[in-house]
Amino acid sequence: MRSAVVILNWNGLQHLQHYLPRVIATTHGADIVVADNGSTDGSVEWLRGVEGVQVVTLDKNYGFAEGYNRVLAMLKGYDAFVLLNSDVETT
């Protein structure tokens, strides 16, 4: 079964810098996808330097529900998704 942890981001660079390393360290057997919802705070540039994270960019902020819906429609070949807020510390 192929699964992905999908994090929707909008101008959450500080949250990503703080929490994403722990998500990476504790996620086993699933891809990590950060979907950027039109950020202007340097999030995308920072994410491109993070190993093990797939970055999907949207052209503008579509909000929470539509942002996730658009990104999930783009991700093919997965059997399951875990939607995770950018300010969650995983164990």
Side-chain angles (χ1 to χ4, degrees):
M1 182 164 101
R2 188 168 177 219
S3 58
V5 174
V6 183
I7 300 169
L8 186 67
N9 175 65
W10 181 71
N11 287 336
L13 178 59
Q14 290 181 334
H15 288 313
L16 293 171
Q17 290 172 328
H18 183 80
Y19 295 104
L20 187 58
R22 184 79 177 146
V23 172
I24 293 167
T26 59
T27 300
H28 309 287
D31 295 336
I32 299 172
V33 179
V34 177
D36 190 78
N37 216 358
S39 293
T40 58
D41 68 346
S43 295
V44 173
E45 294 78 11
W46 182 80
L47 285 165
R48 295 206 191 280
V50 178
E51 189 174 332
V53 175
Q54 178 184 346
V55 181
V56 176
T57 58
L58 298 172
D59 61 332
K60 66 178 187 176
N61 184 352
Y62 288 96
F64 186 82
E66 187 175 353
Y68 266 121
N69 286 334
R70 285 177 175 265
V71 169
L72 295 179
M74 293 178 192
L75 299 176
K76 305 297 180 193
Y78 289 98
D79 301 301
F81 297 109
V82 174
L83 306 183
L84 189 68
N85 285 349
S86 61
D87 62 349
V88 172
E89 185 172 359
T90 56
T91 59

